[in-house]
Amino acid sequence: MNIFRFAGDLSHVFAIIILLLKIWKTRSCAGISGKSQILFAVVYLTRYLDLFTTYVSLYNSVMKVLFLATSGATVYLMYVKFKATYDHNHDSFRIEFLLIPCALLSLVINHDFTLMEVLWTFSIYLESVAILPQLFLVSKTGEAESITSHYLFALGSYRALYLLNWVYRYMVESHYDLIAIFAGIVQTILYCDFFYLYITKVLKGKKLQLPA
């Protein structure tokens, strides 16, 4: 544990809180990609299966339960409770184009060819691209509400901070994980255009608009 990982975890939790509060308070999931939320749920399910077999620390276990519970709750709110407000027409990204390549890549490039390790690797690859349906949705609609923009910024910050975590661990502990680092770089790059627009638009009180 270090300050960058802790800050990244806080940013991740903050992003989830923003999303759930947005949906619950407005009683609507307009502007939110249900497909991205399904992908995130798959990420947590495949990554945290070791919750029942491996104990690392109380903090680690609490975070695993939190991410599993909140991802399930988000999918429930979007596809059951507030289903009528979900924008099926614009949320049209073909997630099989993400799931299949990530699954194949995890079978070929992993640290150890065991079920748990392959599932963990799959979750790392999938998380790096899981935000694409959300960015695609924003691009198709042309703009995003401020609260949705805050959610995306917090989520992107989480990955950027985790990259700093890997730099810190390499410098201090001489430890590195090429799979996690590569996936983190890919994910951060996907957010770069959004980060720029967020800083230049949203923080100045303007609406965030992505080019269609």
Side-chain angles (χ1 to χ4, degrees):
M1 177 62 68
N2 58 70
I3 187 62
F4 299 112
R5 178 179 175 182
F6 183 65
D9 286 343
L10 286 182
S11 183
H12 196 180
V13 171
F14 186 53
I16 292 171
I17 291 173
I18 290 174
L19 179 63
L20 289 174
L21 284 178
K22 185 268 182 197
I23 295 174
W24 190 256
K25 283 192 171 184
T26 63
R27 319 297 284 181
S28 169
C29 51
I32 303 298
S33 169
K35 292 189 175 182
S36 270
Q37 298 310 313
I38 287 175
L39 292 179
F40 282 124
V42 172
V43 165
Y44 303 136
L45 282 171
T46 52
R47 182 177 302 172
Y48 298 141
L49 286 175
D50 66 346
L51 176 66
F52 306 103
T53 60
T54 306
Y55 179 81
V56 177
S57 67
L58 179 61
Y59 174 86
N60 184 270
S61 296
V62 168
M63 294 302 281
K64 288 178 180 180
V65 171
L66 177 65
F67 292 138
L68 285 168
T70 53
S71 64
T74 303
V75 171
Y76 168 77
L77 290 176
M78 293 197 67
Y79 285 94
V80 181
K81 191 168 183 64
F82 302 123
K83 182 179 179 180
T85 66
Y86 172 48
D87 188 356
H88 292 271
N89 294 327
H90 285 113
D91 193 20
S92 56
F93 193 96
R94 299 282 296 277
I95 60 175
E96 61 268 30
F97 292 149
L98 301 177
L99 287 165
I100 295 174
C102 287
L104 293 175
L105 190 60
S106 67
L107 290 171
V108 176
I109 303 177
N110 51 67
H111 295 307
D112 187 23
F113 197 71
T114 62
L115 177 61
M116 296 299 286
E117 189 63 31
V118 169
L119 288 175
W120 178 86
T121 306
F122 168 73
S123 77
I124 295 296
Y125 292 146
L126 184 61
E127 186 181 24
S128 70
V129 294
I131 199 61
L132 280 175
Q134 179 65 60
L135 296 177
F136 183 72
L137 173 60
V138 173
S139 179
K140 286 193 72 174
T141 57
E143 61 184 28
E145 297 176 12
S146 292
I147 192 68
T148 305
S149 301
H150 298 328
Y151 159 70
L152 288 172
F153 183 78
L155 201 58
S157 298
Y158 141 66
R159 289 316 303 175
L161 286 164
Y162 254 64
L163 278 182
L164 294 177
N165 159 64
W166 285 114
V167 172
Y168 174 88
R169 293 193 66 184
Y170 177 74
M171 294 178 65
V172 176
E173 306 170 14
S174 297
H175 173 81
Y176 62 92
D177 185 321
L178 289 177
I179 290 176
I181 293 171
F182 172 76
I185 291 173
V186 169
Q187 189 169 3
T188 304
I189 289 173
L190 292 178
Y191 280 97
C192 282
D193 186 44
F194 171 80
F195 282 152
Y196 172 77
L197 292 173
Y198 182 87
I199 292 170
T200 58
K201 298 286 186 180
V202 180
L203 294 184
K204 294 182 179 179
K206 301 176 183 177
K207 269 194 173 184
L208 183 143
Q209 295 182 315
L210 289 179

